[in-house]
Amino acid sequence: MDTMRCLLLPETDPALNLATEEWLLRHGTANVFMLWRNAAAIIVGRNQNTRAQVNEAYVRAHGIPVVRRLTGGGAVFHDLGNVNFTFIDIDNPSGRLDFARYTAPILDALASMGVAARFDGRNDLAIDGQKISGNAQFLHGNRILHHGTLLFSASITDLSAALLVDPLKYRDKAVKSVAKRVTNISAHLPRPLGVEAFMDRVMAAVAGQGAVTDTPFTPEERAQIETLADIKYRAYDWNFGYSPEYAFSKSIRTAGGMVETHFDVRQGVIASLRFYGDFFGTRDVAGLEARLAGCPHEPEALLRRLDQVPLEDFMLGVTAAALVEGFF
């Protein structure tokens, strides 16, 4: 590796960390190697239907943010036991994706700690066939961003629960996440090591391959990164609205009877919908359908829209909270 700007990010905010990556890719003046962690979050791939990847009830109950990243691939669950690494190369004249090049230093770092991992499949690192790392890349002109996960001491149970989705609810052509057997690196170390010590070892191993400048961000750089985090990585339009078109259907039992909800979503907005069921009402349900069309497919937005609707006239005995449940 050539001379790099090596960074160990102290923040655990996923929106801020992903904004830092993108800002460095677009505006950085040196190659970058970066290590960072996120507090509990789901990070979805650029080309995925966000809502079809996550267990909405679990995510809402645990207050887990869902953020879309710049790169393709599948959805992943992050927590503080998962270490993320990023390479940014500002001179990639080939214009091609190259996973082997950027995972090799990580494999060498693991080997130096007595962990025998190898490149597996299209973009994974594995130990004895069990996944420890997923990787993705993004090209920006002649620049390339490569990032990957390193499952060190991640909560495998939370990972499974947060990404468990009913496949019958959604119909779309978006990229689906593929479940694989996973394991934590910490279980394969010859001697116990904490996650922060592990990060230090990885940083030392990779940084040793080139001269290093660990330059902190200037106030101006930090302000630009914060702005990008706010307008993009914390925004509904990017995290949910950017999703490909999809159709959704679900049946729920309410105090007012069965309600079956069918709708189509384009750019995160409900384009058209129909309600079916054995509920009663004094007004044609088509009026309710018309009032909800154009609403973002998002719980709070639907509740706000329903707050202005005499729901009892359309569906006797059905509460707004119960109806919204049928949208997710």
Side-chain angles (χ1 to χ4, degrees):
M1 291 281 173
D2 298 324
T3 301
M4 294 179 293
R5 180 180 186 179
C6 292
L7 299 164
L8 185 60
L9 299 187
E11 297 88 357
T12 58
D13 175 355
L16 187 63
N17 287 335
L18 289 168
T20 300
E21 278 193 321
E22 181 174 347
W23 190 89
L24 286 167
L25 173 68
R26 298 186 186 279
H27 305 291
T29 57
N31 293 340
V32 171
F33 176 67
M34 189 163 71
L35 289 176
W36 46 287
R37 291 186 296 164
N38 287 331
I42 293 178
I43 311 300
V44 299
R46 181 185 183 93
N47 304 311
Q48 292 192 297
N49 170 7
T50 300
R51 296 206 181 278
Q53 298 303 313
V54 302
N55 180 341
E56 295 249 6
Y58 184 93
V59 165
R60 288 200 299 271
H62 292 80
I64 298 173
V66 179
V67 186
R68 186 185 302 279
R69 64 179 182 268
L70 198 61
T71 58
V76 291
F77 177 79
H78 286 186
D79 65 11
L80 294 177
N82 174 77
V83 177
N84 302 286
F85 67 92
T86 303
F87 286 101
I88 296 172
D89 192 336
I90 63 173
D91 184 19
N92 177 47
S94 72
R96 295 194 302 269
L97 302 180
D98 185 351
F99 287 92
R101 177 183 179 189
Y102 297 100
T103 53
I106 301 300
L107 290 172
D108 289 344
L110 292 172
S112 72
M113 290 178 253
V115 177
R118 66 181 184 87
F119 192 81
D120 185 63
R122 293 184 311 154
N123 61 332
D124 295 339
L125 302 182
I127 299 173
D128 296 330
Q130 293 182 293
K131 180 177 175 177
I132 59 164
S133 171
N135 294 262
Q137 297 186 344
F138 181 78
L139 292 173
H140 174 63
N142 67 337
R143 296 177 173 221
I144 186 169
L145 180 150
H146 175 112
H147 58 190
T149 57
L150 288 169
L151 295 176
F152 182 77
S153 55
S155 172
I156 304 300
T157 301
D158 288 349
L159 185 157
S160 301
L163 298 175
L164 181 63
V165 181
D166 180 355
L168 300 180
K169 289 182 185 177
Y170 292 89
R171 299 190 311 279
D172 61 30
K173 296 181 180 179
V175 177
K176 303 295 189 296
S177 297
V178 179
K180 295 187 177 181
R181 291 179 62 205
V182 297
T183 187
N184 276 316
I185 294 167
S186 59
H188 301 270
L189 288 168
R191 290 174 295 280
L193 197 63
V195 63
E196 293 180 346
F198 171 74
M199 294 174 73
D200 289 340
R201 293 281 296 271
V202 172
M203 178 62 75
V206 175
Q209 299 184 25
V212 178
T213 57
D214 186 359
T215 309
F217 292 106
T218 67
E220 292 76 17
E221 289 176 333
R222 174 57 64 194
Q224 292 177 37
I225 292 168
E226 287 278 5
T227 298
L228 180 59
D230 283 338
I231 66 175
K232 183 171 184 176
Y233 291 99
R234 296 189 180 106
Y236 175 88
D237 286 351
W238 172 249
N239 294 325
F240 293 91
Y242 189 82
S243 295
E245 295 182 12
Y246 58 91
F248 178 97
S249 61
K250 183 179 178 182
S251 295
I252 59 169
R253 183 178 297 278
T254 75
M258 290 294 299
V259 178
E260 189 176 322
T261 306
H262 297 260
F263 56 89
D264 295 313
V265 175
R266 299 187 184 95
Q267 295 184 326
V269 173
I270 297 169
S272 60
L273 72 156
R274 294 293 303 274
F275 292 114
Y276 303 94
D278 59 2
F279 51 85
F280 296 98
T282 59
R283 299 174 64 176
D284 189 337
V285 75
L288 177 60
E289 294 164 352
R291 294 194 187 204
L292 294 180
C295 183
H297 185 202
E298 191 265 332
E300 287 74 20
L302 283 162
L303 286 170
R304 287 193 297 271
R305 185 72 64 94
L306 286 167
D307 192 46
Q308 305 169 26
V309 174
L311 186 55
E312 285 279 304
D313 292 352
F314 296 102
M315 296 180 175
L316 183 65
V318 179
T319 66
L323 185 62
V324 168
E325 183 185 334
F327 282 79
F328 301 94

